[in-house]
Amino acid sequence: MNAATYIPQYEPDFGGDDALAVASYMKSGGWVTEFEKTEELAEKIAAFTGARYAAIVPSGTLGLVASLQALGVGAGDEVVVPNLTMAATATAVAMIGAKPVFADIERQTLTLAPHSVERFISSRTRAVIHVSLNGRAGTLLRTLEICKSRGVALIEDAAQSLGSFAEGRHLGTVGDCGVFSFSSPKIITTGQGGAVVTNDAAVAERLKRLKNFGRASGGEDIYDSIGFNYKFTDLQAVLGLSQMAKLQERMAKKKELYRFYRDGLIGLGEVEWIETDLTSVSPWFVDVVVENREGLRAFLKESGIGTRPMYPALHAQRAFAGLDPARAEEFSVSKEMAQKMLWLPSSFSVTDRDVARVCGEIRRFYGDNPH
Ligand SMILES: *Cc1c(COP(=O)(O)O)cnc(C)c1O
């Protein structure tokens, strides 16, 4: 076989600068919990995205939960979510006692299909969560129009979209709230973490109270509203600040990687690409639509190359199966794409030689040997 080193689908990248930031914070005598460094990270996220307000939260999932709560969504309400997304989009809805209602996606963009959103908005719908998979806005602006005309809130699950834009606006800033994730595989990471952005001062104030037990300020024990503990830690915030300093460079690397793969697989009929405008999108992972995905995965694994299938269609997962069994026939696109979408190695450490090796193996699998 191949003596070349194993290429994982993804591994995070930390440098000496990150280590130094954490060490010098620890030496500074901070309390570790949320304080000025977390505030500084929130300001950085707001400035970078152009949002008026940002709140740092312990995870993207809790960012979605906090957004739903800040927008007044609660028990018994319905929230429309795409059927092909990371499960947290739907579990955040379940966590507040509301009901996730799945809508199909559009094949060209992998984002919510407007006709399906229209079909599933009911009198109980309080919000729609749009997911910009891999940084593509897709149907975001059309979904915004639907939400406006139906009087429901729009939350953007932009967990994969830090560094990506729609018509000049950073993703996450188009809806009532936008949520980013800083979990380990995301473009910048604090291990766990996330941010909620909004342009609405009242929503920002509710987020602040939700984070801090309902209090208006730090140590004051006056409770005007129910709140929880969605605070961050300054220890993670210094890592986040150190990672934010590398964001521009990482956006360029994501684009370059996507371009290398696309060029490397050009003309191969079994591999299809989702249209991606690299002037506005920094693709999170390199995703392709492939024939015989499981066969390809096994073949690449044998050659020391890691891949990851994109998400399953959520309506068919046992956790959600009770929700809408009658609607299963509506999900033709998400069902198809859940079987065909594959993530190729997308670490920052992947070199052009690695990409050439991966593309060569993919061509070999499909029997298209150019040599
Ligand atoms: C990563 C991710 C989440 C969850 O974020 P966590 O920080 O892991 O809680 C939610 N939605 C999407 C689309 C994601 O990619």
Side-chain angles (χ1 to χ4, degrees):
M1 278 280 349
N2 200 324
T5 47
Y6 179 71
I7 307 175
Q9 192 276 320
Y10 191 76
E11 60 188 355
D13 178 78
F14 299 108
D17 48 346
D18 296 314
L20 206 63
V22 172
S24 59
Y25 173 76
M26 286 311 292
K27 283 186 199 148
S28 77
W31 283 27
V32 178
T33 188
E34 171 168 332
F35 191 48
E36 286 168 352
K37 295 295 178 188
T38 303
E39 191 49 44
E40 201 180 320
L41 181 59
E43 281 162 16
K44 276 260 166 12
I45 293 290
F48 183 81
T49 59
R52 216 164 284 158
Y53 308 96
I56 306 297
V57 286
S59 68
T61 306
L62 285 175
L64 290 167
V65 168
S67 299
L68 290 160
Q69 291 172 324
L71 293 169
V73 184
D77 294 335
E78 290 184 359
V79 178
V80 175
V81 302
N83 193 32
L84 190 78
T85 177
M86 204 250 152
T89 314
T91 56
V93 176
M95 189 166 163
I96 59 159
K99 178 180 162 185
V101 173
F102 298 111
D104 207 1
I105 57 164
E106 188 185 69
R107 201 181 188 286
Q108 305 91 282
T109 63
L110 307 181
T111 58
L112 277 172
H115 69 85
S116 196
V117 174
E118 293 270 22
R119 168 147 169 52
F120 292 131
I121 286 184
S122 78
S123 57
R124 291 176 299 279
T125 307
R126 292 293 304 275
V128 172
I129 304 181
H130 178 278
V131 181
S132 39
L133 271 186
N134 262 356
R136 298 182 196 96
T139 56
L140 176 62
L141 298 178
R142 277 182 284 158
T143 304
L144 175 68
E145 286 314 308
I146 296 172
C147 288
K148 275 187 179 160
S149 74
R150 303 294 289 264
V152 304
L154 174 63
I155 295 172
E156 289 182 71
D157 179 343
Q160 304 177 358
S161 305
L162 190 61
S164 293
F165 298 79
E167 296 181 12
R169 294 155 83 181
H170 197 289
L171 296 186
T173 66
V174 173
D176 296 288
C177 282
V179 178
F180 302 104
S181 165
F182 307 146
S183 67
S184 293
K186 299 293 162 43
I187 189 164
I188 67 155
T189 180
T190 57
Q192 300 292 340
V196 183
V197 292
T198 182
N199 291 320
D200 184 324
V203 172
E205 179 60 26
R206 284 199 289 277
L207 286 167
K208 194 173 138 195
R209 288 173 183 256
L210 280 162
K211 279 187 55 163
N212 187 21
F213 308 110
R215 297 188 287 212
S217 72
E220 223 175 295
D221 282 305
I222 299 166
Y223 304 95
D224 292 327
S225 57
I226 294 286
F228 306 93
N229 180 355
Y230 303 148
K231 292 195 289 295
F232 201 50
T233 68
D234 268 20
L235 183 58
Q236 291 169 288
V238 293
L239 183 54
L241 288 164
S242 165
Q243 296 260 306
M244 267 306 273
K246 297 182 255 202
L247 180 55
Q248 292 285 359
E249 180 192 315
R250 289 184 167 194
M251 288 162 60
K253 174 72 190 185
K254 293 283 189 193
K255 293 174 189 204
E256 181 188 77
L257 208 52
Y258 193 89
R259 208 175 288 122
F260 279 165
Y261 275 111
R262 210 165 49 182
D263 292 350
L265 292 168
I266 209 158
L268 190 60
E270 291 88 347
V271 176
E272 194 188 324
W273 294 83
I274 302 291
E275 196 185 322
T276 303
D277 174 6
L278 294 175
T279 59
S280 55
V281 178
S282 308
W284 174 44
F285 286 162
V286 175
D287 56 349
V288 284
V289 191
V290 296
E291 297 300 328
N292 185 10
R293 182 180 69 186
E294 296 322 310
L296 175 62
R297 289 197 71 212
F299 180 84
L300 291 176
K301 193 174 170 205
E302 275 296 299
S303 323
I305 296 166
T307 59
R308 181 174 154 189
M310 205 189 251
Y311 310 112
L314 291 182
H315 78 281
Q317 294 293 298
R318 204 180 296 162
F320 304 111
L323 290 178
D324 296 293
R327 293 172 175 177
E329 76 277 7
E330 313 262 357
F331 301 128
S332 60
V333 179
S334 37
K335 280 194 285 195
E336 181 200 349
M337 298 318 252
Q339 318 241 307
K340 291 186 176 172
M341 295 302 305
L342 185 67
W343 274 316
L344 299 176
S346 306
S347 307
F348 296 111
S349 59
V350 168
T351 63
D352 22 349
R353 285 189 56 191
D354 292 333
V355 174
R357 185 177 136 206
V358 175
C359 294
E361 292 300 316
I362 293 175
R363 286 185 181 277
R364 216 155 64 83
F365 174 74
Y366 290 116
D368 171 34
N369 198 329
H371 306 296

